[in-house]
Amino acid sequence: CYKIAQISKDDNSQLAVCRVLLAELEAHKDAWPFLTPVNHKVILGYRKVIKRPMDFSTIKRKLNNNLYFNLDTFIADVNLVFDNCEKFNEDDSDIGQAGHNMRKFFHELLHLKK
Ligand SMILES: Cc1nnc(-c2cnn(C)c2N)n1CCCn1ccnc1
C-alpha cells in the first residue's frame, strides 16, 4: 500500500489526509451502520445511553465546516463512532461485529499513513 506523505504541519494537508481516511472508511463493506446518525427517536434507549452520538456523515459535515483542529481531533470523533457502537451493541451482533471490523481497519489505515 502507498504511504501518505509525512503529515505536514499545515492544517490543509492534515485536512486532506482526514478526507482520504473518511472516504476509505465510507467505502468499507462494513460501514453501513455508521454512514448516518442513529435515529434515536426509533432506537429506544439510544439517547439515554449514548451521550455523544457520532457518525461518518456528521464527521464529513464537520470536516467541510472546518471544525477539526487537526488530525487528532478527527481521530477522536472516528473512535467515538466505534466506542458508541461497542457500548450499545453486543459483540456478536451484526452491528457489533461491523464496529470491531471498522475499528481494526481504521487503526491499520492510520499505521499505514504514519
Ligand atoms: C451505529 C448503531 N448502533 N446501534 C445501531 C442500531 C440501529 N438499530 N438498532 C436496533 C441498533 N442497535 N446503529 C445504527 C445501525 C444503522 N442501521 C440499522 C439498520 N441499517 C442501518
Side-chain angles (χ1 to χ4, degrees):
C1 292
Y2 57 88
K3 214 169 131 58
I4 287 261
Q6 189 60 30
I7 306 250
S8 86
K9 291 290 159 274
D10 77 282
D11 288 359
N12 288 344
S13 92
Q14 283 210 13
L15 284 175
V17 170
C18 294
R19 285 204 175 82
V20 168
L21 290 168
L22 183 60
E24 287 175 297
L25 288 170
E26 289 171 325
H28 194 285
K29 70 172 177 54
D30 290 333
W32 57 272
F34 315 109
L35 296 174
T36 56
V38 175
N39 183 346
H40 55 71
K41 294 190 187 69
V42 172
I43 312 298
L44 294 182
Y46 198 80
R47 186 168 22 195
K48 185 96 180 82
V49 172
I50 301 300
K51 302 304 177 200
R52 291 177 59 215
M54 190 47 64
D55 70 285
F56 294 162
S57 71
T58 301
I59 291 173
K60 185 178 279 182
R61 184 176 49 74
K62 288 178 72 172
L63 260 179
N64 295 337
N65 299 349
N66 244 336
L67 294 177
Y68 289 118
F69 176 64
N70 57 21
L71 181 61
D72 291 338
T73 49
F74 166 81
I75 290 169
D77 262 0
V78 174
N79 284 328
L80 178 58
V81 173
F82 305 140
D83 293 345
N84 289 345
C85 181
E86 226 179 302
K87 188 169 186 182
F88 198 74
N89 296 280
E90 297 295 327
D91 288 341
D92 59 359
S93 65
D94 289 347
I95 295 172
Q97 270 306 308
H100 288 300
N101 293 349
M102 290 304 293
R103 185 196 295 276
K104 183 171 175 291
F105 176 67
F106 183 57
H107 188 75
E108 285 158 3
L109 277 184
L110 286 181
H111 283 269
L112 259 185
K113 293 184 169 46
K114 278 215 168 61

